[in-house]
Structures are given as C-alpha cells and as structure tokens.
Amino acid sequence: MTDNLFQPYALNDTITLNNRILMAPLTRCMADDNLVPTVAMAEYYGRRAEAGLIISEATIIRPDGQGNPNTPGLFTQEQVNAWKFVTKTVHDKGGKIFAQLWHTGRVAHPHFFEHNNNGSSDVLAPSAVGVEGTVPRMRDLNYQVPRAVTHQEIEQLIVDFAQAAENAIEAGFDGVEIHGANGYLIDQFLHYDSNRRTDEYGETPENMTRFPLAVVDAVIASIGKDRTALRISPGAYFFMSGDARDRQVFDHLLTELEQRDLAFLHLGIFDDSMVFDYLDGQASSYIRANYTKTLVGVGSYTPDTASNAIADNKFDLVAIGRPFIANADYVAKVRAGEGLVEYNAEMLTSLI
C-alpha cells in the first residue's frame, strides 16, 4: 500500500503540496545555445505536473557555472522570460515547481563560457584542486585545474545566487532549491578533499560552512525562507573522496540550518543504500538524526520502499528521478497500482 504518498503536505504557511512525491532535478540538456529554456522543456515539465513538487533541472546562476552542454540559466532576461512559459505550463496543470540554482565550481569548463564571461576562462573552486574526468556528453573536454576563488569573488557569488533566486520568482517559480550537493561548488566548500583553504573559508567546520550558509541567508533575504530549500551531500562520493573530518562540518551545518526553517532539506545521493563509515551508515539516516525539519529523501526508491520509509519517519517527502523520465504519468500510475516503464540510458536523450 502506498496511500501515504498521496497525502497533502504543508511545507509551511505559504506552500502546500498535493502529494509527497517530488520530481527530482534531472539534467536533460534541452536548453538552446544561449541557455534559454525551450518549448520542449515546457512540454516536458507540464506532462509531469501531477508531482507534489517539481524541482527543475539544475539551472546556472551565471556563465562560469556551466559544466554541461545546453543546461538552462537564470541570469539573463531572455532566460527568465522563457522560464515564465515553463512555470505557467506547470501551474496551469495544477502543479508547483522550484528552480534548482547551480554553479558547478571545479567541474565547469571554459568551453562553455570563455566568450561570455568578460573574456575570462578561469574555472573557480574553493581550492586549486582538480578532478579527473571529462564533461558529460562532450568527452573530448577534460576537466581543468581550477583557480581558488578570492574573497571578492566569494562575495560576488553570494550576490549572484541571491539574484538568481529573485529571477526565479520573477519567472514564476514557487521557490528555489540551492544546489549544495553532488560535488558542485557549494559542496566543494564542505569537504576536506576539495577545500584546502587556510583562510576563514577553510580548515574548520565553522569556516567551511561560512560560504554555503551565506548563500542560504542571502537567498532567504531575497525571497523568504518559505520559498528557500537546500540540497546537500554529507557523504562525499561524487567528484571527491570522503574524509572522516567531513562529519564535523555537516554536524555544524545541520545545527545552523535547523535555525533557518527552510522549506525543506533535500539529500543529494544517487543510491541511498550507500553507507559512509564517518556518518555511521546511510546519509539519510544521518541527516534525520541531526535535523528535525522537513527532509526529502532520494536515491533509487520504488513506490513501496518510499512509502515504507515515510511510514517509518525516515523522511517526509520522496524525490523520484529516472522513473519520472520513463513515466511522465508516474504519479497516476503509482496511484492506480499500474506497472511502470523501466528506465534505460537511451531515454535520457529521447523522451520528453
């Protein structure tokens, strides 16, 4: 029985979801060459509007944040205007949608922005520590060693996240999810493997959380806490190695986030069966033990396992990823007890 998945859920006094099934952010690379959302994207999200909440694909806050081809932005008026058609399509079908705000940090690539970033080809990160690998869908592009951001650049990044949040609200989004997970810029500040700084943004939990919390606070100041959410990855696993000291960083981060009363906190992980020694098990269990507000679980859950996890108070809402690509009518199928089309890799580029 999955009845609990279809109960309404109040995120706060501002936003109530029709059900507990969220559509997870899924990079689809369907924007045009100017990172402007397309009609196909409006159709794609509109077909999935029955989700309690759609979290958009990761959306770039400024040119040097791009690390994948044809990923949308929220930093030009043309992009904002195009997103208005997407959000209206979702709202007209009774849905709600948050924009996920993204800067990829050290896995950005100047191929995408060196001609659209005041001539700069610098890849920015907390520290000058690169990663091995190539750009998704463009395997001829190797990741580069980044340059450590300056204090002035950190302050500008905070401003740019807040401006992107304001742009999202202008574009008709119901709120934003700050992408602080999965090895991208904000997450890079939160792990010792990627943050080797020795100034007030490195070395200690208080310092390493300074920039992420400043972004959260700036976004809250711009659009309100009821419309601000955050995704985090306490277990390092994507683009970085774990370090036992990371636990102390996230202990401090969660204590601080508890006081901010966000719309929700969203776990960023591909498979929640993964365990991390320094978290004493699964990342979702670690967050739940240290954070009492609304938690979104994710990571290869089926309708049955998600229902059981919610019943067991493991989390409050569940985000579904690839099955939503394969089944635009995922919510209706689960409600009716119908079988789901199984996702395969070819669907990543073929299905709308």
Side-chain angles (χ1 to χ4, degrees):
M1 296 295 290
T2 58
D3 291 350
N4 60 351
L5 297 179
F6 301 99
Q7 298 170 350
Y9 186 87
L11 292 178
N12 43 55
D13 293 338
T14 305
I15 301 171
T16 297
L17 309 182
N18 291 331
N19 57 67
R20 296 186 182 222
I21 300 173
L22 278 58
M23 178 179 167
L26 296 156
T27 297
R28 299 301 309 278
C29 302
M30 293 193 292
D32 71 15
D33 289 341
N34 293 317
L35 313 188
V36 175
T38 59
V39 171
M41 288 170 60
E43 295 172 352
Y44 168 76
Y45 286 115
R47 292 183 64 196
R48 292 158 176 84
E50 197 174 359
L53 176 68
I54 293 171
I55 306 173
S56 82
E57 62 207 279
T59 302
I60 304 159
I61 65 163
R62 62 188 220 180
D64 64 1
Q66 186 177 0
N68 297 56
N70 299 102
T71 45
L74 258 173
F75 55 87
T76 71
Q77 194 60 49
E78 184 182 14
Q79 293 162 359
V80 171
N81 291 342
W83 274 118
K84 289 178 181 179
F85 182 59
V86 177
T87 59
K88 184 178 186 301
T89 302
V90 171
H91 291 151
D92 285 350
K93 295 189 176 185
K96 291 183 173 65
I97 182 168
F98 272 35
Q100 189 187 65
L101 305 182
W102 195 26
H103 191 296
T104 62
R106 64 181 182 175
V107 291
H109 199 284
H111 168 83
F112 300 115
F113 58 77
E114 58 187 342
H115 301 299
N116 189 30
N117 193 41
N118 298 318
S120 174
S121 61
D122 289 344
V123 175
L124 301 180
S127 303
V129 181
V131 295
E132 296 291 330
T134 57
V135 172
R137 305 190 187 211
M138 300 185 74
R139 298 302 181 185
D140 57 322
L141 298 178
N142 292 291
Y143 292 130
Q144 301 188 2
V145 176
R147 175 174 62 77
V149 288
T150 66
H151 289 190
Q152 183 177 359
E153 288 168 335
I154 287 173
E155 292 302 316
Q156 187 59 52
L157 281 161
I158 294 167
V159 170
D160 292 338
F161 268 102
Q163 183 60 59
E166 292 183 20
N167 293 348
I169 299 304
E170 180 187 344
F173 285 98
D174 298 285
V176 305
E177 175 181 280
I178 302 163
H179 199 343
N182 303 119
Y184 299 116
L185 179 64
I186 291 175
D187 195 35
Q188 290 161 22
F189 274 86
L190 295 169
H191 295 274
Y192 281 92
D193 180 56
S194 49
N195 185 346
R196 314 282 178 88
R197 300 178 75 100
T198 57
D199 61 5
E200 62 265 45
Y201 293 98
E203 294 191 304
T204 70
E206 292 78 11
N207 288 348
M208 293 169 69
T209 58
R210 191 181 306 278
F211 170 64
L213 289 170
V215 171
V216 170
D217 289 341
V219 171
I220 288 174
S222 295
I223 66 172
K225 65 181 181 180
D226 287 356
R227 299 188 183 279
T228 302
L230 174 67
R231 194 180 210 204
I232 61 171
S233 295
Y237 72 103
F238 193 57
F239 294 132
M240 64 177 68
S241 299
D243 186 305
R245 296 172 295 172
D246 290 351
R247 167 69 177 262
Q248 297 174 347
V249 178
F250 282 88
D251 284 351
H252 180 73
L253 178 67
L254 291 170
T255 297
E256 291 292 323
L257 293 175
E258 183 82 17
Q259 303 172 32
R260 284 161 171 80
D261 203 18
L262 300 173
F264 58 83
L265 191 62
H266 183 184
L267 171 64
I269 197 164
F270 299 147
D271 186 346
D272 197 25
S273 67
M274 292 179 65
V275 296
F276 301 88
D277 290 345
Y278 58 90
L279 300 180
D280 299 322
Q282 293 169 277
S284 58
S285 298
Y286 162 72
I287 295 177
R288 192 54 140 179
N290 291 276
Y291 184 80
T292 66
K293 308 294 179 65
T294 297
L295 177 62
V296 178
V298 72
S300 301
Y301 282 94
T302 68
D304 287 335
T305 59
S307 176
N308 291 338
I310 288 174
D312 292 339
N313 198 36
K314 185 170 183 175
F315 41 74
D316 304 289
L317 305 164
V318 61
I320 300 298
R322 288 176 171 178
F324 247 125
I325 295 177
N327 301 269
D329 54 350
Y330 178 90
V331 174
K333 282 182 174 178
V334 174
R335 182 184 285 114
E338 297 178 5
L340 297 169
V341 175
E342 187 173 350
Y343 169 88
N344 64 64
E346 293 181 0
M347 292 178 177
L348 192 60
T349 56
S350 64
L351 282 185
I352 292 177

